[in-house]
Amino acid sequence: MDLEMEDVIGEDVDMCALVMARFGTSPAPEHKQLCLVAQAVAEVLHDQAHDLTPTAFFVATLSFLGRQEGRSAAVTTAVCTFLALVLRRTPAAAVQAMSDAALKILMGLLATEANNPEALEAVLSCVGGLIRDVGGGAAFSSLVGFCLDPRPKIRKRAQLCTMDVLSSLQGTAHGLGTASEVVCHLFESSLDSMSESLSGKNPSNSSTGTAVKVVHMLGALKQFLPLLSANAIGRILPRLAQLHELQQPMLTRCILDAIQALCMCSDAKVPPAALGDVLGRLGDLLEGKQTSADEVTVVTRILQHGFQKNWTADRTLCVKNLPSVFQSLTRLLASNQEAVIFAAAESMRHLIEGCIDEAMIQEGVTQLQSRGQERERKGALTPIERICVSVESSLGYQYRASWDMSLHVVAAMFDKLGESSAILMASTVINLGDLHNLPDDNLACRKQLQATLGSAVAAMGLEKILAILPLFMDGANLLESKVWLLPILKQHTVGARLQFYQETLLPVAARLRERARKCAAAGKTVASKNAESCVQSIWALLPSVCNYPSDTARSFSHIAKTLGDVLIKEPELRGLVCSSLRILVTQNRKAKGDTIAEKLVEGENSEDLNVAEQRARSKYTPEVAAANLNAISGYSRNFLPLLFNLFVVSPAEKRGDLQLTIAAIASISDKQTVQSFFVGIMNKLLKATVEASTPAESDAMEVDPPKGEESPTALRCVFMDLALSLVNGLDDEALGVLFSTARPALKDKDAAVQKKAYKVLASICEANTNFVAGKVQDFLEMLVTSLSSVHSSARRHRLRCLHFLILHLMKGGYERKDEAIATFISEVVLTTKESNKKTRNAAYDLLIEIGHGMLDEETGGSQAHFIRFFTMIVGCLAGSTPHMVSAAVVGLARLLYEFPSLLCHAVPDLLPSALLLLKSKSREIIKSVLGLVKVVIARLPVAELDQHLHGLVEGLILWSDDSKNHFKAKVRVIIERLVRRCGMDAVARVMPLEHMKLLTNIRKTKERNQRKKVPPEEGEEAETKSLQSCATTARKSKWNHTDLFSDNDEDDEYGNMDCSTKALTVAKTRTNKSESRKLRKPDKLVLPEDFMDIGDSREPLDLLDTSKTREVLQRPKSQQQKNIDSDDELEYTVDGKMIVDESGDKIRDKLKRKKIWNDDHPHAAASQGGRSFRRSDEVSASRSQSRGSKARKTNNGSKNWVYTGDEYASKKGRAVGDVKKDGKLDPFAYWPLDPKILNRREAKRNTARKGISSVMMQGIHSAGSGPSKPKRRQKAHK
């Protein structure tokens, strides 16, 4: 019976009323009996003038149980059930006062109702509640004894009550110790009874019965063990380990479940010695070959959680046993079971993260440094060294099938060791380099290998990794160098030294550049390009080297001159140098606490930093960052003029990096330096402006007009860009000059000049808000007057200015601000309908930013300001043009999508007005309203969406038959979304009868597709719900204008698939995953038998020698497939000409020798290479026969077959025509099937139909020629 009433019962309530409310309408007999008991007790209390409190109900019910005799089993069950409900809300003092009498009554009921399971279950609940409140040793022993009852319901109820008691005793040493002793005694007695029955000392006890009790006890221990005292756990764990050694499958599973529950409970207090002994025994059992895969996976999880628990309790013991566990787990990687390999690798990875600390690492590093590279004996290795050896051994040839998992473990080890991995795992890096040299056919996990090498690079650093794996780029053949390492270094280098890059890698690049020039001069084009590519790869490392370098303050002066020379002389490397300078400036500004620097590097905060980046960033204190910025800003007088000149002479498409670099350097330069450069730029800008405004005099002798980039207007734009780059380093006076210069350019007729002017103003607003705050009136007047002349290309940057201005106007007190705000908001709303995607997205972003700004309390915002802003956009619905109304709907949809919790209250007033717009004849308005409806369905809670369901369906149905404007498909998609959110029944209730066929079609399509779905795997939930259910939560996804307001019907988030197709696709994907192989097999990395003997000595290959094995695997396939009999090999003369045996004597001699050898060695010939020669001959014969068959392949080698009809040809010649043959069909014209007939394009289908047309026409002509004319054989045409 369901006893869960915790959510409706109060402290002092009428228990009878609650029981009637909960079970009064239930048709179950036991519920009816319970209600009768509650009413009877309430009536007794009412007659005796007692209050209907839980205490009164408790006393009355207990008295009823104590004095009534001869009651039926159903009444006893109902009374005990009611007592269990009352006991939960009875005060502890009242229960304590009547505890002795209550226990006496309940213990008597346990004996008398032993054969009544329903009543016994209720009595156990009462006993558990009493013991929990007042205690009771004898009663608890009886309760625990029922945990071994053969009846499942009784056993489960007793276990739940025991757990409730043990949980209530947590924190009380005496009470918990007593209760734990009872559980421990019961466990030991059950084991003793089983041993006595098995040995024959107690024949009265059945061995089967005692074994079943042990199994029940182990099932109870899974729940009890984490709640017991430390002493009891210490006594139980050794006995569990002894039971596990019996290797009985049922016992083993129960034991492992109990130990796993104990290890995974963070609050359990476990003796470290006892747990360590059990973990050691379990680790030894992993060596057994008879252990099942399921058992091994459970043991690996126990080892993982057990060692993590023991680490906090007894670190010394954990460190001592940890290396042996790694050895055992490493051996599991050779298993052919996918689950075992994954479990072992995951356990090793978690043990590395949780059980290896800095003290262990430093101990190993210190000992290695003290004794150098010589290791006296294996026993002298420290624990961390032994763990590193085990991890490295997982890269051995015997684990080749699980290298993809082993590499994850190695990468975790690199991340944990950090810089110490250069000492502890140097040989591992060498092995990884050897693995990378394997061909692709023998290494399927190359991506994982490169990621692991990247972890090594990030942990050790650029300098140490190159000391272990040198590039060897000075050799004669660059193909033999480690060029493949350069992309890995580029992606993972962090915290390197600029000095190392300057003194080590740049000289290599210079030598390679010289080699490229020599090779080009000698006509070796390929070698020259290879060397030049290596130079580019080395320079591509520069941005990575500048990623939190460790010696910027000391070494930037050494590399600054080199960077300047490269900017001047090597245009192809300018982008790399500019990017490196920006990274240096931005990272140091952010470390110093400059928030503006975050805008210079876009998206850097969107990705989580890895361990190496966090380690390098932690060294960048504000003091270190300040010193680095001083070192870089000391060369600003050198870099700025150089970058200015390059910016002016560079084409427009290559100025982006230069402009960002100028802005970065100007932001850290001193004001006087930036001011001096700014004055020069403004003089040149003024000169270019004058030249552009002066009408050019026509010169009859001028043949070539000035190019676009040399015109005064183009120069004006260039100098405005330069001035824009210096904004972050200008003072208020200089900003005023720049503001005055850009103001007249807002009305310039040239779109490029106008765009640059708006960019300058937007940069001023973002760089210095205080300056702009003092000129709000000027900004307001300037933007209002320039509204009519703004060009579409400049509108996106104008929006950046409006962002700042609207926020200030709505929060400040300015005259005539309402009119200006309405004008600006209307402009922003209209911009959401721009055809340019960037401008449209900028308008959406501006709406959201203004909304967040209105809610920002730190800057004077409030919810009232936000509602006012939303109301202004709603007012745009009264626009005079369909374009304005459509834009207002789109803007409202974007705000509702972003702020659903704040605007849900406005939907009841907004939605009816929006649905009225569906009666409009404007296609633009209808499309926008349908997008708004999609947003409402996606963002509103189901409870509120149900209230508007009738209006939504009524409005959507108006366009359900419109196919001309694609609205029919859109409406169907929206109805499907409504069904997914609200359920089929809710939508059917409001759907008009004449349109019910739409819902019927949706339902049938869904059911049809679900029948085609493959059932999900066991233990996995279905990906999609039934149409009868509804999704109660709204999903949060990224805003997509095209999905909501597109012109086609591909509006769903899965493209043009409906919900049924989407569910079917998900099901197919899951099915493909379930059909993956469960067994691990080597990926073509096989040593052929021919290589069992290698070298001149013909000695067997030592498979344990990793270097020799890899040497064999790295050989070309031509050498791997070399046979002992080399007669098939071609012979060449000394000058390289091939020798051709025209007589065939050599082939005949070879066949003769082979026949003689086969006769002398029949068994060897039959088994050589796993295939007999006789079988080979048969295969060859069958292949020759197949070549002579009537069907043959086409020339292009495809799988299409062409039927020739040769079997009907007459032997007398073509003039006779086809002949009939007995047992075969009559001669026929054959038209091969063409897949083009199924093509979507009409032209393709017409081409395919020409084949059958030609066949039919030829048949007609042949039939009409008369019997005197012979029939000609019809050949197939493709």
Side-chain angles (χ1 to χ4, degrees), residues 8 30 34 56 80 259 316 518 581 599 602 722 780 785 797 968 1033 1040 1067 1138 1165 1215-1216 1263:
V8 296
E30 58 271 18
L34 177 62
C80 294
I259 298 176
T316 304
K518 292 181 179 179
L581 291 173
K599 300 179 182 179
E602 187 175 348
L722 285 178
L780 179 61
T785 55
H797 302 287
K968 181 178 181 179
T1033 57
N1040 194 322
M1138 184 176 62
V1216 180

Side-chain angles (χ1 to χ4, degrees), residues 218-293:
L218 291 175
L221 280 179
K222 178 182 178 181
Q223 304 174 5
F224 297 164
L225 199 56
L227 302 174
L228 299 181
S229 63
N231 293 334
I233 294 175
R235 290 170 55 185
I236 292 175
L237 283 179
R239 304 296 294 269
L240 291 177
Q242 294 174 1
L243 276 178
H244 187 268
E245 294 176 357
L246 297 177
Q247 292 297 306
Q248 295 294 327
M250 185 176 295
L251 292 178
T252 299
R253 185 64 185 180
C254 295
I255 293 169
L256 293 180
D257 288 343
I259 298 176
Q260 183 180 4
L262 176 65
C263 294
M264 295 184 68
C265 182
S266 58
D267 298 332
K269 298 179 181 179
V270 186
L275 182 58
D277 181 65
V278 172
L279 295 177
R281 294 187 183 185
L282 292 178
D284 296 338
L285 287 177
L286 291 177
E287 306 294 335
K289 297 183 180 180
Q290 302 299 327
T291 309
S292 64

Side-chain angles (χ1 to χ4, degrees), residues 62-177:
L62 195 61
S63 301
F64 181 77
L65 282 175
R67 69 173 181 269
Q68 187 172 356
E69 300 293 342
R71 55 180 174 268
S72 64
V75 174
T76 304
T77 302
V79 174
C80 294
T81 303
F82 184 70
L83 179 62
L85 293 174
V86 172
L87 189 60
R88 296 181 181 181
R89 289 304 179 187
T90 304
V95 176
Q96 181 72 31
M98 300 190 63
S99 59
D100 295 338
L103 285 176
K104 182 179 179 180
I105 294 173
L106 293 175
M107 294 304 294
L109 288 175
L110 287 178
T112 57
E113 302 296 335
N115 297 326
N116 184 3
E118 291 80 6
L120 188 59
E121 187 177 355
V123 173
L124 288 175
S125 299
C126 297
V127 172
L130 278 174
I131 298 174
R132 179 192 58 202
D133 294 336
V134 301
F140 183 72
S141 300
S142 301
L143 178 63
V144 175
F146 279 98
C147 293
L148 308 183
D149 195 273
R151 292 166 291 187
K153 289 186 177 180
I154 302 301
R155 189 170 61 249
K156 181 180 179 180
R157 175 59 60 183
Q159 291 176 3
L160 292 176
C161 294
T162 305
M163 287 182 59
D164 194 12
V165 173
L166 292 175
S167 300
S168 65
L169 294 176
Q170 298 297 315
T172 59
H174 177 70
L176 182 61

